[in-house]
Amino acid sequence: MSEVQLKDALDALKSTGVRITPQRHAILEYMIHSTAHPTADDIYRALEKTFPNMSVATVYNNLRVFRKAGLVKELTYGDSSSRFDFVTHDHYHMICSDCGKIVDFHYPGLDEVEHLASHVTGFQVDYHRLELYGTCQDCIENPAKAQ
Amino acid sequence: MSEVQLKDALDALKSTGVRITPQRHAILEYMIHSTAHPTADDIYRALEKTFPNMSVATVYNNLRVFRKAGLVKELTYGDSSSRFDFVTHDHYHMICSDCGKIVDFHYPGLDEVEHLASHVTGFQVDYHRLELYGTCQDCIENPAKAQ
DNA sequence: TACACTAATTATAACGATTACAATGTAAGA
DNA sequence: TCTTACATTGTAATCGTTATAATTAGTGTA
């Protein structure tokens, strides 16, 4: 099933005139198979075995290409590096304020919020981002190393 | 009315043992009166007339103090600097993808989402953050300088 | 009010994520 | 195969943010 996702993503890129390079293929594949929310550096380190000469700039460049194509979302937090998330179906993020763990969860229908906001602000709304912050069970049971 | 907010904020700080310095007073005052969502540098530049010797580190330090005290929220985006928002009552942000403008809007009751997420993930939920992205009317009418 | 204690501020250097740049390599259509 | 524009690479630069050490200044107490 992730094969289909990969093929769809590659087709989507091709149709907008983006060349398919081995690096792009590998980055996309990694993003799709990754259940975590990798940073650019995570991706770089995971792929440097297969692409010993790959530059970290390539990772950043292509993540930007994918983001512009709507294939990938960038999640930014205060201190550290951005995390990137392959866009599948709509889901939101539950984030642990202590250890930084991110868990996906699904919730239907925040379309209503988009409609209201569009009406009130006059914006044309494209998408939204919802994140919940709290403490995960591990950190509740073991409140040792808060950041 | 913003006088009351300022007094409340100062009292809240004092009660947690945080000293009230002129710089802190000024930063809080600026945050409360600002309708925009200033960056640390915005605040620094706005106050350097009154505090010619103030360091940018002071701004960052105090924004962190205020954030830990729950007086201020930090909004992070991809490229640029964080923006800071004095916490009043709950509101969300409508953000223009072209020009970066941020407009507040109100929407009630996303408590239900928090409950569901807590149940599904086992997290103890503290708060959430919702942001809508789109294009503002200015940029729709005048699609000149997209970033 | 003056003192002492401790926290806050300042100035600057360091850090780290991200991007710019120029040179080289390569995908893909003719 | 050839060509050309786009992609990659390696490195330097940028810029927001933080660490550090020395100095300054709140605030409770006498």
Side-chain angles (χ1 to χ4, degrees), chain B residues 19-20 22 57 60 81-82:
Chain B
R19 291 182 184 169
I20 307 305
Y60 279 103
S81 4
S82 290

PDB file of all heavy atoms in Angstrom, chain B residues 19-20 22 57 60 81-82, chain D residues 16-19 25-27:
ATOM      1  N   ARG B  19      11.364  38.638  39.932  1.00  0.00           N
ATOM      2  CA  ARG B  19      11.549  40.070  40.203  1.00  0.00           C
ATOM      3  C   ARG B  19      11.018  40.929  39.072  1.00  0.00           C
ATOM      4  O   ARG B  19      11.156  40.578  37.902  1.00  0.00           O
ATOM      5  CB  ARG B  19      13.030  40.369  40.381  1.00  0.00           C
ATOM      6  CG  ARG B  19      13.580  39.770  41.643  1.00  0.00           C
ATOM      7  CD  ARG B  19      15.026  40.151  41.784  1.00  0.00           C
ATOM      8  NE  ARG B  19      15.606  39.514  42.951  1.00  0.00           N
ATOM      9  CZ  ARG B  19      16.899  39.494  43.204  1.00  0.00           C
ATOM     10  NH1 ARG B  19      17.743  40.068  42.361  1.00  0.00           N
ATOM     11  NH2 ARG B  19      17.349  38.917  44.280  1.00  0.00           N
ATOM     12  N   ILE B  20      10.482  42.094  39.468  1.00  0.00           N
ATOM     13  CA  ILE B  20       9.959  43.008  38.454  1.00  0.00           C
ATOM     14  C   ILE B  20      11.016  44.055  38.165  1.00  0.00           C
ATOM     15  O   ILE B  20      11.267  44.945  38.956  1.00  0.00           O
ATOM     16  CB  ILE B  20       8.671  43.687  38.938  1.00  0.00           C
ATOM     17  CG1 ILE B  20       7.659  42.649  39.398  1.00  0.00           C
ATOM     18  CG2 ILE B  20       8.101  44.554  37.822  1.00  0.00           C
ATOM     19  CD1 ILE B  20       7.347  41.602  38.378  1.00  0.00           C
ATOM     20  N   PRO B  22      12.574  47.022  35.381  1.00  0.00           N
ATOM     21  CA  PRO B  22      12.019  47.944  34.379  1.00  0.00           C
ATOM     22  C   PRO B  22      11.921  47.305  33.006  1.00  0.00           C
ATOM     23  O   PRO B  22      10.937  47.530  32.278  1.00  0.00           O
ATOM     24  CB  PRO B  22      13.046  49.090  34.371  1.00  0.00           C
ATOM     25  CG  PRO B  22      13.714  49.036  35.699  1.00  0.00           C
ATOM     26  CD  PRO B  22      13.731  47.595  36.093  1.00  0.00           C
ATOM     27  N   ALA B  57      19.591  39.549  24.548  1.00  0.00           N
ATOM     28  CA  ALA B  57      19.475  38.368  25.401  1.00  0.00           C
ATOM     29  C   ALA B  57      18.436  38.578  26.492  1.00  0.00           C
ATOM     30  O   ALA B  57      17.746  37.636  26.885  1.00  0.00           O
ATOM     31  CB  ALA B  57      20.832  38.040  26.017  1.00  0.00           C
ATOM     32  N   TYR B  60      15.040  37.752  25.057  1.00  0.00           N
ATOM     33  CA  TYR B  60      14.833  36.311  24.973  1.00  0.00           C
ATOM     34  C   TYR B  60      14.644  35.696  26.355  1.00  0.00           C
ATOM     35  O   TYR B  60      13.748  34.885  26.579  1.00  0.00           O
ATOM     36  CB  TYR B  60      16.010  35.649  24.251  1.00  0.00           C
ATOM     37  CG  TYR B  60      15.930  35.753  22.747  1.00  0.00           C
ATOM     38  CD1 TYR B  60      16.715  36.660  22.047  1.00  0.00           C
ATOM     39  CD2 TYR B  60      15.067  34.947  22.030  1.00  0.00           C
ATOM     40  CE1 TYR B  60      16.650  36.751  20.670  1.00  0.00           C
ATOM     41  CE2 TYR B  60      14.987  35.027  20.655  1.00  0.00           C
ATOM     42  CZ  TYR B  60      15.785  35.933  19.977  1.00  0.00           C
ATOM     43  OH  TYR B  60      15.711  36.032  18.619  1.00  0.00           O
ATOM     44  N   SER B  81      11.853  33.996  12.472  1.00  0.00           N
ATOM     45  CA  SER B  81      11.906  34.007  13.926  1.00  0.00           C
ATOM     46  C   SER B  81      10.554  33.659  14.530  1.00  0.00           C
ATOM     47  O   SER B  81       9.513  33.796  13.903  1.00  0.00           O
ATOM     48  CB  SER B  81      12.352  35.380  14.414  1.00  0.00           C
ATOM     49  OG  SER B  81      12.503  36.277  13.360  1.00  0.00           O
ATOM     50  N   SER B  82      10.596  33.263  15.757  1.00  0.00           N
ATOM     51  CA  SER B  82       9.382  33.000  16.516  1.00  0.00           C
ATOM     52  C   SER B  82       8.633  34.302  16.752  1.00  0.00           C
ATOM     53  O   SER B  82       9.217  35.380  16.829  1.00  0.00           O
ATOM     54  CB  SER B  82       9.721  32.369  17.864  1.00  0.00           C
ATOM     55  OG  SER B  82      10.201  31.074  17.713  1.00  0.00           O
TER      56      SER B  82
ATOM     57  P    DG D  16      17.314  36.926  12.170  1.00  0.00           P
ATOM     58  OP1  DG D  16      16.280  37.447  11.272  1.00  0.00           O
ATOM     59  OP2  DG D  16      18.244  37.842  12.848  1.00  0.00           O
ATOM     60  O5'  DG D  16      16.597  36.014  13.267  1.00  0.00           O
ATOM     61  C5'  DG D  16      15.948  34.827  12.845  1.00  0.00           C
ATOM     62  C4'  DG D  16      16.086  33.758  13.893  1.00  0.00           C
ATOM     63  O4'  DG D  16      17.469  33.333  13.963  1.00  0.00           O
ATOM     64  C3'  DG D  16      15.691  34.185  15.304  1.00  0.00           C
ATOM     65  O3'  DG D  16      14.923  33.138  15.884  1.00  0.00           O
ATOM     66  C2'  DG D  16      17.036  34.371  16.011  1.00  0.00           C
ATOM     67  C1'  DG D  16      17.918  33.359  15.300  1.00  0.00           C
ATOM     68  N9   DG D  16      19.340  33.700  15.270  1.00  0.00           N
ATOM     69  C8   DG D  16      19.889  34.892  14.881  1.00  0.00           C
ATOM     70  N7   DG D  16      21.193  34.902  14.945  1.00  0.00           N
ATOM     71  C5   DG D  16      21.521  33.644  15.404  1.00  0.00           C
ATOM     72  C6   DG D  16      22.790  33.059  15.672  1.00  0.00           C
ATOM     73  O6   DG D  16      23.904  33.577  15.554  1.00  0.00           O
ATOM     74  N1   DG D  16      22.676  31.743  16.110  1.00  0.00           N
ATOM     75  C2   DG D  16      21.499  31.081  16.281  1.00  0.00           C
ATOM     76  N2   DG D  16      21.586  29.825  16.720  1.00  0.00           N
ATOM     77  N3   DG D  16      20.299  31.601  16.031  1.00  0.00           N
ATOM     78  C4   DG D  16      20.392  32.881  15.600  1.00  0.00           C
ATOM     79  P    DT D  17      14.236  33.388  17.284  1.00  0.00           P
ATOM     80  OP1  DT D  17      13.062  32.512  17.345  1.00  0.00           O
ATOM     81  OP2  DT D  17      14.101  34.837  17.518  1.00  0.00           O
ATOM     82  O5'  DT D  17      15.324  32.799  18.286  1.00  0.00           O
ATOM     83  C5'  DT D  17      15.633  31.415  18.185  1.00  0.00           C
ATOM     84  C4'  DT D  17      16.807  31.089  19.069  1.00  0.00           C
ATOM     85  O4'  DT D  17      17.980  31.790  18.617  1.00  0.00           O
ATOM     86  C3'  DT D  17      16.643  31.470  20.544  1.00  0.00           C
ATOM     87  O3'  DT D  17      16.517  30.262  21.272  1.00  0.00           O
ATOM     88  C2'  DT D  17      17.913  32.266  20.882  1.00  0.00           C
ATOM     89  C1'  DT D  17      18.839  31.915  19.725  1.00  0.00           C
ATOM     90  N1   DT D  17      19.864  32.922  19.371  1.00  0.00           N
ATOM     91  C2   DT D  17      21.195  32.573  19.474  1.00  0.00           C
ATOM     92  O2   DT D  17      21.550  31.470  19.858  1.00  0.00           O
ATOM     93  N3   DT D  17      22.076  33.555  19.121  1.00  0.00           N
ATOM     94  C4   DT D  17      21.783  34.831  18.678  1.00  0.00           C
ATOM     95  O4   DT D  17      22.667  35.626  18.395  1.00  0.00           O
ATOM     96  C5   DT D  17      20.379  35.142  18.590  1.00  0.00           C
ATOM     97  C7   DT D  17      19.944  36.496  18.130  1.00  0.00           C
ATOM     98  C6   DT D  17      19.496  34.181  18.937  1.00  0.00           C
ATOM     99  P    DT D  18      16.452  30.286  22.838  1.00  0.00           P
ATOM    100  OP1  DT D  18      15.707  29.088  23.230  1.00  0.00           O
ATOM    101  OP2  DT D  18      16.037  31.620  23.289  1.00  0.00           O
ATOM    102  O5'  DT D  18      17.973  30.064  23.253  1.00  0.00           O
ATOM    103  C5'  DT D  18      18.660  28.945  22.721  1.00  0.00           C
ATOM    104  C4'  DT D  18      20.048  28.867  23.310  1.00  0.00           C
ATOM    105  O4'  DT D  18      20.873  29.930  22.776  1.00  0.00           O
ATOM    106  C3'  DT D  18      20.121  29.002  24.826  1.00  0.00           C
ATOM    107  O3'  DT D  18      21.044  28.038  25.291  1.00  0.00           O
ATOM    108  C2'  DT D  18      20.624  30.431  25.024  1.00  0.00           C
ATOM    109  C1'  DT D  18      21.535  30.579  23.823  1.00  0.00           C
ATOM    110  N1   DT D  18      21.790  31.960  23.344  1.00  0.00           N
ATOM    111  C2   DT D  18      23.081  32.337  23.067  1.00  0.00           C
ATOM    112  O2   DT D  18      24.030  31.593  23.212  1.00  0.00           O
ATOM    113  N3   DT D  18      23.229  33.625  22.602  1.00  0.00           N
ATOM    114  C4   DT D  18      22.229  34.552  22.400  1.00  0.00           C
ATOM    115  O4   DT D  18      22.482  35.673  21.980  1.00  0.00           O
ATOM    116  C5   DT D  18      20.898  34.094  22.715  1.00  0.00           C
ATOM    117  C7   DT D  18      19.755  35.023  22.532  1.00  0.00           C
ATOM    118  C6   DT D  18      20.749  32.832  23.167  1.00  0.00           C
ATOM    119  P    DA D  19      21.252  27.727  26.820  1.00  0.00           P
ATOM    120  OP1  DA D  19      20.955  26.301  27.011  1.00  0.00           O
ATOM    121  OP2  DA D  19      20.534  28.763  27.601  1.00  0.00           O
ATOM    122  O5'  DA D  19      22.819  27.949  27.021  1.00  0.00           O
ATOM    123  C5'  DA D  19      23.720  27.636  25.957  1.00  0.00           C
ATOM    124  C4'  DA D  19      25.140  27.953  26.374  1.00  0.00           C
ATOM    125  O4'  DA D  19      25.497  29.282  25.904  1.00  0.00           O
ATOM    126  C3'  DA D  19      25.415  27.954  27.858  1.00  0.00           C
ATOM    127  O3'  DA D  19      26.752  27.495  28.057  1.00  0.00           O
ATOM    128  C2'  DA D  19      25.242  29.423  28.251  1.00  0.00           C
ATOM    129  C1'  DA D  19      25.705  30.149  26.997  1.00  0.00           C
ATOM    130  N9   DA D  19      24.964  31.381  26.693  1.00  0.00           N
ATOM    131  C8   DA D  19      23.612  31.554  26.741  1.00  0.00           C
ATOM    132  N7   DA D  19      23.222  32.758  26.386  1.00  0.00           N
ATOM    133  C5   DA D  19      24.400  33.421  26.083  1.00  0.00           C
ATOM    134  C6   DA D  19      24.668  34.736  25.643  1.00  0.00           C
ATOM    135  N6   DA D  19      23.705  35.641  25.425  1.00  0.00           N
ATOM    136  N1   DA D  19      25.953  35.072  25.440  1.00  0.00           N
ATOM    137  C2   DA D  19      26.897  34.154  25.658  1.00  0.00           C
ATOM    138  N3   DA D  19      26.772  32.893  26.068  1.00  0.00           N
ATOM    139  C4   DA D  19      25.488  32.583  26.263  1.00  0.00           C
ATOM    140  P    DA D  25      22.558  49.476  37.747  1.00  0.00           P
ATOM    141  OP1  DA D  25      21.871  50.289  36.716  1.00  0.00           O
ATOM    142  OP2  DA D  25      23.402  50.120  38.772  1.00  0.00           O
ATOM    143  O5'  DA D  25      21.447  48.601  38.471  1.00  0.00           O
ATOM    144  C5'  DA D  25      20.682  47.686  37.693  1.00  0.00           C
ATOM    145  C4'  DA D  25      19.743  46.921  38.595  1.00  0.00           C
ATOM    146  O4'  DA D  25      20.486  45.914  39.329  1.00  0.00           O
ATOM    147  C3'  DA D  25      19.065  47.771  39.664  1.00  0.00           C
ATOM    148  O3'  DA D  25      17.802  47.219  39.885  1.00  0.00           O
ATOM    149  C2'  DA D  25      19.934  47.569  40.885  1.00  0.00           C
ATOM    150  C1'  DA D  25      20.228  46.079  40.719  1.00  0.00           C
ATOM    151  N9   DA D  25      21.394  45.585  41.422  1.00  0.00           N
ATOM    152  C8   DA D  25      22.588  46.221  41.625  1.00  0.00           C
ATOM    153  N7   DA D  25      23.464  45.504  42.287  1.00  0.00           N
ATOM    154  C5   DA D  25      22.799  44.306  42.532  1.00  0.00           C
ATOM    155  C6   DA D  25      23.174  43.137  43.198  1.00  0.00           C
ATOM    156  N6   DA D  25      24.376  42.970  43.754  1.00  0.00           N
ATOM    157  N1   DA D  25      22.268  42.149  43.268  1.00  0.00           N
ATOM    158  C2   DA D  25      21.071  42.324  42.708  1.00  0.00           C
ATOM    159  N3   DA D  25      20.606  43.384  42.056  1.00  0.00           N
ATOM    160  C4   DA D  25      21.525  44.348  41.998  1.00  0.00           C
ATOM    161  P    DG D  26      16.540  48.027  39.915  1.00  0.00           P
ATOM    162  OP1  DG D  26      16.382  48.796  38.694  1.00  0.00           O
ATOM    163  OP2  DG D  26      16.542  48.714  41.230  1.00  0.00           O
ATOM    164  O5'  DG D  26      15.435  46.898  39.937  1.00  0.00           O
ATOM    165  C5'  DG D  26      14.947  46.586  41.112  1.00  0.00           C
ATOM    166  C4'  DG D  26      14.553  45.159  41.254  1.00  0.00           C
ATOM    167  O4'  DG D  26      15.693  44.364  41.678  1.00  0.00           O
ATOM    168  C3'  DG D  26      13.542  45.092  42.365  1.00  0.00           C
ATOM    169  O3'  DG D  26      12.723  43.978  42.214  1.00  0.00           O
ATOM    170  C2'  DG D  26      14.447  45.009  43.600  1.00  0.00           C
ATOM    171  C1'  DG D  26      15.636  44.201  43.089  1.00  0.00           C
ATOM    172  N9   DG D  26      16.944  44.640  43.596  1.00  0.00           N
ATOM    173  C8   DG D  26      17.599  45.805  43.346  1.00  0.00           C
ATOM    174  N7   DG D  26      18.760  45.885  43.945  1.00  0.00           N
ATOM    175  C5   DG D  26      18.876  44.692  44.618  1.00  0.00           C
ATOM    176  C6   DG D  26      19.930  44.214  45.449  1.00  0.00           C
ATOM    177  O6   DG D  26      20.987  44.754  45.737  1.00  0.00           O
ATOM    178  N1   DG D  26      19.641  42.939  45.953  1.00  0.00           N
ATOM    179  C2   DG D  26      18.498  42.236  45.694  1.00  0.00           C
ATOM    180  N2   DG D  26      18.407  41.040  46.265  1.00  0.00           N
ATOM    181  N3   DG D  26      17.507  42.669  44.921  1.00  0.00           N
ATOM    182  C4   DG D  26      17.771  43.912  44.422  1.00  0.00           C
ATOM    183  P    DT D  27      11.301  44.076  42.908  1.00  0.00           P
ATOM    184  OP1  DT D  27      10.404  43.174  42.164  1.00  0.00           O
ATOM    185  OP2  DT D  27      10.969  45.500  43.081  1.00  0.00           O
ATOM    186  O5'  DT D  27      11.555  43.444  44.360  1.00  0.00           O
ATOM    187  C5'  DT D  27      12.180  42.175  44.449  1.00  0.00           C
ATOM    188  C4'  DT D  27      12.514  41.856  45.893  1.00  0.00           C
ATOM    189  O4'  DT D  27      13.844  42.311  46.217  1.00  0.00           O
ATOM    190  C3'  DT D  27      11.580  42.511  46.916  1.00  0.00           C
ATOM    191  O3'  DT D  27      11.297  41.566  47.917  1.00  0.00           O
ATOM    192  C2'  DT D  27      12.416  43.645  47.477  1.00  0.00           C
ATOM    193  C1'  DT D  27      13.792  42.997  47.443  1.00  0.00           C
ATOM    194  N1   DT D  27      14.960  43.920  47.480  1.00  0.00           N
ATOM    195  C2   DT D  27      16.113  43.505  48.109  1.00  0.00           C
ATOM    196  O2   DT D  27      16.218  42.418  48.634  1.00  0.00           O
ATOM    197  N3   DT D  27      17.125  44.419  48.079  1.00  0.00           N
ATOM    198  C4   DT D  27      17.116  45.688  47.511  1.00  0.00           C
ATOM    199  O4   DT D  27      18.088  46.408  47.563  1.00  0.00           O
ATOM    200  C5   DT D  27      15.868  46.055  46.878  1.00  0.00           C
ATOM    201  C7   DT D  27      15.746  47.401  46.242  1.00  0.00           C
ATOM    202  C6   DT D  27      14.857  45.169  46.898  1.00  0.00           C
TER     203       DT D  27
END
